[in-house]
Amino acid sequence: MACDKIVKKRISPDISESYINARGQLQEIPLDIQQQLYQAMGGDIPHQKQIQRIVPAVKVVSQGEPISLPIQGNEEFDWQLTTEDGKLWRKGHLLAEQALILPAGLPLGYHNLHVIQKEKTSFCRIIVAPKRCYLPKALLEEQKLWGASVQLYSLRSDNNWGIGDFGDLKQMINEVGRRGGSFVGLNPIHSLFPANPESASPYSPSSRCWFNIIYIDVTAVEDFKHSKGAQLWWHSHATQSNLAGVRETQYVDYTGVTQLKLTALKLAWQSFLLRNKHDKQRVEFESFIQQRGESLHWQAAFDALHMELMAQNPSFWGWPVWPEEYREAQSSAVMKFCQTHADEVQFWCWLQWLAWCQFANCWQHSSELNMPIGLYRDMAVGVTQGGVETWSDRELYSIQASIGAPPDILGPLGQNWGVAPINPHVLVERGYTPFIDLLRANMENCGALRIDHVMSLLRLWWVPQGESAANGAYVSYPVDDLLAILALESQRMHCMVIGEDLGIVPAEIISKLRDYGVFSYKVLWFEHDDEKKVRAPKQWAAQAMAVITTHDLPTMRGYWESYDFKLGEQLGLYPDLVMLEELRKEREIAKQHLLNALQTDNVSKEQTASNAAFGTMSLALNQKIHHFIAGSNSALLGLQPEDWLDMLEPVNIPGTSTEYANWRRKLTQTLEEMFTSEQVNALLEDVNQQRKNIQGKSIQ
C-alpha cells in the first residue's frame, strides 16, 4: 500500500512533490498542483517523442570525456559525425543493441551525429564543452576590481530626454573608468513594450534577445541631426516644453518619453530612407537584417503590430487579448500585415539596429579605456507571457504557468512574476538551441553577464495559471548540460558569468556553480556567521561579486533607517505584524553587529555609536561602510550610485506592481553633478585605493 501511494503521488520526475521551505520545513506539493503543471508541460507528448527517437536529441560532455550513446531499435545502423564546421570527422557501422562509443579527441563545439536505420534517420547534437567559464586576465592575476551597478533608466544628465540612455551610459563608463573602475553593470536592457510603455519592469521583457529601444540616444542619431524636419520639430516650443516636463520629474514618465523619442525617430527614419542604397549605413543596416534573420523580423513585426492595435484599443496589452487572427505569429493575417506595413516593420528593425550600434559603441569605449570587464549585462529569468517570444514560439514556452518564488521571509505571500517558463522538454528536443541563442545575444559586446536567479539552471518555481504564488512547485532543468553550454559560450564570447544566487539556494547547485567558474553574489546585509556576526571582509569568498545591497533590497540608507519595513507595512506586505516586529528587532541587532565590525576595522566608536542610537545614516557612516566592503576578498565589488548619493527610496519593492512606482525612480543628481561632487569623488578614490591594497586569493 505504501509503495502504491508513492507511485500515485509522483506525477512526473521533473515536478517536485515536496520542497524545504524558508523555515527549513518539508512542504508537500498538492497532487492537483503537480497535475496542472504536468499538463502545462505538454502531458505525455514529450515522453512519446523521446520513445520514438533512435538516439537522444542532444548529448553534452566535457572536453576529454568519453562519449557513449544508447541506441534504440533492434536493427543494424550506420552513423556519421560531422564537426561544427561541416567536416566529416568519423563514420561507422554498428550491430543492433550496441551502444555507440565515439573516439576521443572531438574538439570543443557543436557537432552533428546522424544515425541511419533503413529508411529512418535520427539526428543528435553532440556538444563538447570546457570545464570552466571565461575569466579576464585581470582576475587571473588576482586583481581586485570594482565598478558601478546602475539602473540605466534612473540616470539623469544635462542631455538626456527624461530617461538614462546609451549616451549617458558612455559618459558613465568614462567617469567610472577614469576613477579606476573596471566595469559598469546594468539592469536588464531587454526589449519591453513600446506600444505599452508603462509596462516598465526590466525583468518582465517581451524578448531577452533584443534591446529596449527607449535607451537610444536620439541626439546621437545622424539622421536626426541632419533631418530638417526633425530639427524643426526639435526646436519647436511645444517639443522643448514637453522635454522639460519629462526631464524634471522624480520618476521616469515612460509614456511621455516614448512619445517624444518615437516622434523624433520616425522623422529621422524618413531621412535615413533618402540615403543611397550604397551608403555605408544603409549597407550595414541591410547586412544586420540579413544576419539577425527571423528573430529580428518577429521582434519588429510584433512591435509594429502591437502599436497598430493599441492605437485601436488600449486594452490590447499583449497578444493573448489581441483579435484572434493575430494571436498566431505565422497566421495569414500577420503575414498580410507585414506585407502591407513593410515600411513600419523595417522602421522597428532600424530601431533595434540603432540600439545595437549605440550599445556596441559603449563597449568599444570601455575597451579604449582598458577597463578589464567594461560592461556587464543582466539577463532576466524569463519573458512575459504576452510578448514577442511567446507569440513567435508558442511551443517553447509553457504559457499555462508562470515563474515566481515560494513564500519566504522577505516575501511572505510568495511571488508570481507573470513570466512564462521555458519547457525543459522542448529545450532538450531542440538541442538547446534557444538557450545558446539567448546566451549569445546577451554576451555580445560585454565582458560579463549576470544571470538573474541563477538557480533557474537547476529548477524554477512554476505557478499554474489562476493559482496564488504559494500554490506552485519546483520544476527541474538539465543543470549539468546548461552549465556546460554556459561555459562554452562564455569562453567563446570572452564573457565571464555572475550568478545571482540569493534567496533559497539548493545545496546541489552551489558546488556546481563554483566548479564551473560562475561567480557568486555576496550582499553585505547577509554576510554573517551562525551567530549573526558580520563576516570579516578578508573571509568573503574570492569567486564572487560583493555588493552592499541590490535592486530588490532597500538602499543603504533605507536599510539603516528600516524604511523598507515602513513601506512594506503601508503596502500590506506584512499581514503578520508580530513577524514584522520581529524583523525590526533583528534589523537593529544586525546593525549593531555591523557597527561592531566597523569598529574592529579601525572605525572609532565615536564615529558610529550615535548613528545606532538615532537609527539614521550619516555621511561618515556611509563612507565607512563603503570602505569596509571595499576591503572584501571578493574579486569583484559592485557599488550603487544611489548609495553614493545617500538616497532613501528603493528602486523596486518585490511583491508589488502598481502599488509602488517600481523601476521609475531617478537618481537625485545628474551625472555631471555627481562626478563633480567632492563627496562622491573622495568616496570613489578611497574605494579604488582600498581595492588596490588588498592581497587576493586565487579563484581558480
Side-chain angles (χ1 to χ4, degrees), residues 143-158:
Q143 294 181 32
K144 299 300 185 185
L145 310 180
W146 71 273
S149 297
V150 305
Q151 303 289 316
L152 184 53
Y153 55 84
S154 73
L155 297 185
R156 294 177 186 263
S157 72
D158 291 344

mmCIF file of all heavy atoms in Angstrom, residues 143-158:
data_model
loop_
_atom_site.group_PDB
_atom_site.id
_atom_site.type_symbol
_atom_site.label_atom_id
_atom_site.label_comp_id
_atom_site.label_asym_id
_atom_site.label_seq_id
_atom_site.Cartn_x
_atom_site.Cartn_y
_atom_site.Cartn_z
ATOM 1 N N GLN A 143 43.757 40.378 -9.362
ATOM 2 C CA GLN A 143 43.434 41.768 -9.053
ATOM 3 C C GLN A 143 42.039 41.839 -8.442
ATOM 4 O O GLN A 143 41.181 40.989 -8.704
ATOM 5 C CB GLN A 143 43.485 42.620 -10.323
ATOM 6 C CG GLN A 143 44.868 42.751 -10.931
ATOM 7 C CD GLN A 143 44.864 43.629 -12.178
ATOM 8 O OE1 GLN A 143 44.080 44.574 -12.283
ATOM 9 N NE2 GLN A 143 45.727 43.303 -13.129
ATOM 10 N N LYS A 144 41.820 42.863 -7.627
ATOM 11 C CA LYS A 144 40.508 43.101 -7.026
ATOM 12 C C LYS A 144 39.867 44.279 -7.748
ATOM 13 O O LYS A 144 40.377 45.403 -7.701
ATOM 14 C CB LYS A 144 40.646 43.403 -5.534
ATOM 15 C CG LYS A 144 41.276 42.273 -4.724
ATOM 16 C CD LYS A 144 40.453 40.991 -4.807
ATOM 17 C CE LYS A 144 41.027 39.905 -3.894
ATOM 18 N NZ LYS A 144 40.330 38.620 -4.050
ATOM 19 N N LEU A 145 38.772 44.024 -8.443
ATOM 20 C CA LEU A 145 38.158 45.006 -9.313
ATOM 21 C C LEU A 145 36.882 45.577 -8.696
ATOM 22 O O LEU A 145 36.218 44.927 -7.890
ATOM 23 C CB LEU A 145 37.830 44.371 -10.666
ATOM 24 C CG LEU A 145 38.968 43.596 -11.347
ATOM 25 C CD1 LEU A 145 38.484 43.030 -12.678
ATOM 26 C CD2 LEU A 145 40.201 44.471 -11.545
ATOM 27 N N TRP A 146 36.553 46.799 -9.100
ATOM 28 C CA TRP A 146 35.304 47.403 -8.648
ATOM 29 C C TRP A 146 34.650 48.140 -9.810
ATOM 30 O O TRP A 146 35.276 48.444 -10.814
ATOM 31 C CB TRP A 146 35.535 48.367 -7.475
ATOM 32 C CG TRP A 146 36.244 49.649 -7.855
ATOM 33 C CD1 TRP A 146 37.585 49.869 -7.921
ATOM 34 C CD2 TRP A 146 35.619 50.885 -8.236
ATOM 35 N NE1 TRP A 146 37.849 51.155 -8.322
ATOM 36 C CE2 TRP A 146 36.671 51.806 -8.510
ATOM 37 C CE3 TRP A 146 34.295 51.315 -8.359
ATOM 38 C CZ2 TRP A 146 36.409 53.126 -8.909
ATOM 39 C CZ3 TRP A 146 34.045 52.627 -8.762
ATOM 40 C CH2 TRP A 146 35.099 53.512 -9.017
ATOM 41 N N GLY A 147 33.361 48.394 -9.646
ATOM 42 C CA GLY A 147 32.633 49.135 -10.663
ATOM 43 C C GLY A 147 31.306 49.615 -10.128
ATOM 44 O O GLY A 147 30.982 49.424 -8.950
ATOM 45 N N ALA A 148 30.524 50.235 -10.998
ATOM 46 C CA ALA A 148 29.208 50.759 -10.628
ATOM 47 C C ALA A 148 28.121 49.865 -11.199
ATOM 48 O O ALA A 148 28.207 49.433 -12.347
ATOM 49 C CB ALA A 148 29.046 52.180 -11.155
ATOM 50 N N SER A 149 27.101 49.589 -10.392
ATOM 51 C CA SER A 149 25.926 48.845 -10.851
ATOM 52 C C SER A 149 24.770 49.834 -10.941
ATOM 53 O O SER A 149 24.316 50.347 -9.913
ATOM 54 C CB SER A 149 25.605 47.714 -9.878
ATOM 55 O OG SER A 149 26.664 46.784 -9.823
ATOM 56 N N VAL A 150 24.319 50.113 -12.161
ATOM 57 C CA VAL A 150 23.340 51.186 -12.351
ATOM 58 C C VAL A 150 22.044 50.665 -12.966
ATOM 59 O O VAL A 150 22.035 49.676 -13.697
ATOM 60 C CB VAL A 150 23.909 52.315 -13.244
ATOM 61 C CG1 VAL A 150 25.208 52.847 -12.679
ATOM 62 C CG2 VAL A 150 24.116 51.843 -14.678
ATOM 63 N N GLN A 151 20.964 51.348 -12.612
ATOM 64 C CA GLN A 151 19.699 51.203 -13.322
ATOM 65 C C GLN A 151 19.741 52.271 -14.417
ATOM 66 O O GLN A 151 19.635 53.465 -14.137
ATOM 67 C CB GLN A 151 18.534 51.446 -12.369
ATOM 68 C CG GLN A 151 18.524 50.547 -11.149
ATOM 69 C CD GLN A 151 18.186 49.118 -11.494
ATOM 70 O OE1 GLN A 151 17.256 48.852 -12.270
ATOM 71 N NE2 GLN A 151 18.935 48.178 -10.937
ATOM 72 N N LEU A 152 19.915 51.859 -15.663
ATOM 73 C CA LEU A 152 20.192 52.812 -16.735
ATOM 74 C C LEU A 152 19.118 53.885 -16.852
ATOM 75 O O LEU A 152 19.422 55.063 -17.059
ATOM 76 C CB LEU A 152 20.359 52.069 -18.064
ATOM 77 C CG LEU A 152 20.746 52.910 -19.283
ATOM 78 C CD1 LEU A 152 21.986 53.752 -19.017
ATOM 79 C CD2 LEU A 152 20.955 52.018 -20.502
ATOM 80 N N TYR A 153 17.856 53.492 -16.703
ATOM 81 C CA TYR A 153 16.769 54.457 -16.840
ATOM 82 C C TYR A 153 16.818 55.539 -15.763
ATOM 83 O O TYR A 153 16.261 56.619 -15.925
ATOM 84 C CB TYR A 153 15.407 53.741 -16.771
ATOM 85 C CG TYR A 153 15.246 52.906 -15.526
ATOM 86 C CD1 TYR A 153 14.822 53.472 -14.333
ATOM 87 C CD2 TYR A 153 15.552 51.540 -15.537
ATOM 88 C CE1 TYR A 153 14.717 52.716 -13.179
ATOM 89 C CE2 TYR A 153 15.444 50.785 -14.404
ATOM 90 C CZ TYR A 153 15.025 51.374 -13.219
ATOM 91 O OH TYR A 153 14.931 50.624 -12.074
ATOM 92 N N SER A 154 17.493 55.264 -14.629
ATOM 93 C CA SER A 154 17.496 56.199 -13.500
ATOM 94 C C SER A 154 18.503 57.337 -13.667
ATOM 95 O O SER A 154 18.480 58.304 -12.901
ATOM 96 C CB SER A 154 17.788 55.452 -12.195
ATOM 97 O OG SER A 154 19.153 55.069 -12.121
ATOM 98 N N LEU A 155 19.386 57.233 -14.664
ATOM 99 C CA LEU A 155 20.426 58.249 -14.816
ATOM 100 C C LEU A 155 19.848 59.573 -15.308
ATOM 101 O O LEU A 155 19.045 59.613 -16.236
ATOM 102 C CB LEU A 155 21.500 57.775 -15.799
ATOM 103 C CG LEU A 155 22.296 56.524 -15.419
ATOM 104 C CD1 LEU A 155 23.391 56.266 -16.444
ATOM 105 C CD2 LEU A 155 22.896 56.646 -14.022
ATOM 106 N N ARG A 156 20.280 60.639 -14.680
ATOM 107 C CA ARG A 156 19.974 61.989 -15.134
ATOM 108 C C ARG A 156 21.228 62.565 -15.792
ATOM 109 O O ARG A 156 22.335 62.227 -15.395
ATOM 110 C CB ARG A 156 19.583 62.895 -13.966
ATOM 111 C CG ARG A 156 18.292 62.557 -13.249
ATOM 112 C CD ARG A 156 18.098 63.510 -12.091
ATOM 113 N NE ARG A 156 16.967 63.188 -11.259
ATOM 114 C CZ ARG A 156 15.762 63.752 -11.364
ATOM 115 N NH1 ARG A 156 15.551 64.670 -12.295
ATOM 116 N NH2 ARG A 156 14.780 63.409 -10.553
ATOM 117 N N SER A 157 21.049 63.447 -16.751
ATOM 118 C CA SER A 157 22.192 64.145 -17.336
ATOM 119 C C SER A 157 21.715 65.454 -17.935
ATOM 120 O O SER A 157 20.506 65.709 -18.032
ATOM 121 C CB SER A 157 22.876 63.291 -18.410
ATOM 122 O OG SER A 157 22.075 63.213 -19.578
ATOM 123 N N ASP A 158 22.648 66.276 -18.351
ATOM 124 C CA ASP A 158 22.300 67.557 -18.962
ATOM 125 C C ASP A 158 21.697 67.384 -20.346
ATOM 126 O O ASP A 158 21.118 68.330 -20.896
ATOM 127 C CB ASP A 158 23.547 68.456 -19.070
ATOM 128 C CG ASP A 158 24.044 68.924 -17.710
ATOM 129 O OD1 ASP A 158 23.272 68.824 -16.727
ATOM 130 O OD2 ASP A 158 25.206 69.380 -17.631
#
